[in-house]
Amino acid sequence: MVFEGMISIGILARRSGVQAETIRYYESEGLLPKPERTAGGYRIYGASDIERLSFIRQARELGFKVDSVRRLLSLVDRKVDTCEEVRELATTHLGEVRTKLADLRRMERVLSDLIRSCEGRTVPECLLLEALAAPRGEEDRGRRAQARRRGVAPAGGCGGPAASSHGFSVGVAGAHGRARA
C-alpha cells in the first residue's frame, strides 16, 4: 500500500514543533484523529494533521487547557458561523490568566520580602528557611519571627530590616492553585 504525501510521526513532530510523545498523547485525548498505519504498523500523517497539530500547539502555548482546546477544535470542525462561543472560551481563559498573574505578583512580593529578610549569615536562624519549612497557618511561626525581629534571635541570624515589614504568610499555593500572601 502506497501512502503518497503522508509523513511519519518524526517528520510531523519536526514540522509542527510538537514532540512525538505529545502527538501520541493528543491522539489518545481525541484532539488529533487516530492516524492511518503502514503495513508495518507505523503511524502516518497528512497535511491536515500538521495544521491541526499547529492549532493545538498554539492554543496550548496560550495556556488553554486540553478540554478547552477540545472545545475549540469542535467549533473548528463544525465550521460554526459565529465566533460567540470562541469569544466566550477566550474570555473565560483570559480571566484565568489574569488570576494567575495576580497570584504570581503576590508570590513575587512574598518571595521578595523573604529574600530581603535574610542577611545570609547562618542557616539555623534563617527566617526565609523557617518560613518555607513551617506548615501553613502555623501561629508560632509568626511569633518566632516577631521575637527575632525584636532582637531575641541569636547574633548573626537572618532577619534584617525587611523582616519587620511582612508577617511571612508564605502559603504560596492555596486551595485552587491560587497563591496566598
Side-chain angles (χ1 to χ4, degrees), residues 9-26:
I9 195 168
I11 294 172
L12 177 63
R14 281 192 295 280
R15 289 188 185 171
S16 66
V18 177
Q19 294 182 359
E21 183 177 327
T22 305
I23 293 170
R24 288 189 286 272
Y25 169 73
Y26 289 154

Side-chain angles (χ1 to χ4, degrees), residues 95-164:
E96 294 168 357
V97 168
R98 286 179 174 154
T99 298
K100 287 179 186 176
L101 285 171
D103 290 345
L104 287 170
R105 285 186 197 103
R106 277 192 296 278
M107 290 167 55
E108 177 187 35
R109 279 192 308 271
V110 170
L111 186 55
S112 183
D113 287 348
L114 287 171
I115 290 168
R116 278 194 306 273
S117 76
C118 186
E119 295 172 356
R121 293 189 185 149
T122 63
V123 171
E125 295 82 25
C126 181
L127 291 178
L128 192 153
L129 292 177
E130 184 178 317
L132 292 174
R136 288 191 323 178
E138 181 186 300
E139 296 301 321
D140 289 338
R141 177 183 61 220
R143 279 180 279 199
R144 285 192 309 267
Q146 287 175 349
R148 283 202 176 100
R149 287 190 295 266
R150 286 191 308 259
V152 178
C158 296
S164 62

Side-chain angles (χ1 to χ4, degrees), residues 26-180:
Y26 289 154
E27 288 171 11
S28 72
E29 287 294 313
L31 300 179
L32 199 61
K34 296 287 182 192
E36 292 187 44
R37 300 234 181 203
T38 65
Y42 293 101
R43 293 173 165 88
I44 52 172
Y45 302 87
S48 64
D49 295 314
I50 297 170
E51 292 170 12
R52 189 172 185 93
L53 199 51
S54 293
F55 179 96
I56 295 167
R57 179 183 48 79
Q58 291 178 83
R60 295 289 289 150
E61 285 176 354
L62 284 173
F64 283 97
K65 296 176 183 165
V66 171
D67 287 339
S68 294
V69 174
R70 186 178 291 110
R71 287 182 58 198
L72 289 168
L73 286 168
S74 76
L75 295 172
V76 169
D77 293 342
R78 291 186 307 179
K79 301 196 182 341
V80 178
D81 291 335
T82 177
C83 63
E84 186 176 329
E85 288 180 74
V86 175
R87 182 182 175 91
E88 180 184 316
L89 273 171
T91 301
T92 299
H93 182 60
L94 180 58
E96 294 168 357
V97 168
R98 286 179 174 154
T99 298
K100 287 179 186 176
L101 285 171
D103 290 345
L104 287 170
R105 285 186 197 103
R106 277 192 296 278
M107 290 167 55
E108 177 187 35
R109 279 192 308 271
V110 170
L111 186 55
S112 183
D113 287 348
L114 287 171
I115 290 168
R116 278 194 306 273
S117 76
C118 186
E119 295 172 356
R121 293 189 185 149
T122 63
V123 171
E125 295 82 25
C126 181
L127 291 178
L128 192 153
L129 292 177
E130 184 178 317
L132 292 174
R136 288 191 323 178
E138 181 186 300
E139 296 301 321
D140 289 338
R141 177 183 61 220
R143 279 180 279 199
R144 285 192 309 267
Q146 287 175 349
R148 283 202 176 100
R149 287 190 295 266
R150 286 191 308 259
V152 178
C158 296
S164 62
S165 68
H166 196 281
F168 296 114
S169 176
V170 175
V172 192
H176 297 284
R178 292 199 168 95
R180 294 192 330 202

